[in-house]
Amino acid sequence: MDAGLVAERVDEVRRRIARVATAPVSIVAVTKGFGPDAVAAARAVGLTDVGENFAQELVAKRREDEASGASALAWHFLGAIQTNKVRVLAPMVDCWQSVWREREAERIAVADPGATVLLQVGFASGAGRPGLSAEAVAALAIRATELGLRVEGLMAVAPRPPEEARAAFRTLRGLADQLGLPVRSMGMTEDLELAVAEGSTMVRVGRALFGDRPGREPRAASW
Ligand SMILES: *Cc1c(COP(=O)(O)O)cnc(C)c1O
């Protein structure tokens, strides 16, 4: 991983954000599928938040990063939450971004009391698609709060077609506002301008920082 190249790319991501932003937007560097060198590169360019989709990858990279003795990064878990992995992830995750089932919230509350979570809203129909329906968000926000979790916001992966993506981002923004939740985690490499224009406070960016992911594309991005 060429740290100089990553530095140029992070500048470009910041320019893309700045062209449309009206408020600060944080960047989560999505290192899934890349080696630990991507984490080191993110740190080297001054990013403080990294995101991973798979438990094993997150644990391995976080251990390696901490062994370097550098200051702690904030680790975001972005992937499907397997309830049997929650315990091993608990000491390793600073923000659970993809909570959408009550049993996930319950497990996290036990393994990681007071954890910071975002609730994932789903915008594609069909069984197996992750995320809450718009109607179900408020109930889980209340339940998770009762469980002692810090519900800081909402997260979504938008559908591809720009008009559908825009509508999804708008809906997420409206839901977050209704619930008084400050964090709106939306926008990735392909759609970050649209997301920021619609009120994202946090973009999750992988390929725009690190290039194409090596090997098989991990399950992602297209729901
Ligand atoms: C992979 C992934 C990202 C980053 O996607 P890029 O297209 O590489 O920017 C962001 N969020 C989630 C949930 C992902 O799975």
Side-chain angles (χ1 to χ4, degrees), residues 19 79 93 138 180 190 195 200 220:
R19 282 198 281 270
V93 170
E190 306 280 351
S200 172

Side-chain angles (χ1 to χ4, degrees), residues 30 32 53 78 155 157 188-189 204-207 213 220-221:
V30 180
K32 72 167 179 222
N53 288 48
L78 309 176
M155 174 275 230
V157 175
M188 317 190 340
T189 292
R204 310 175 308 268
V205 184
R207 290 169 299 145
R213 278 181 280 277

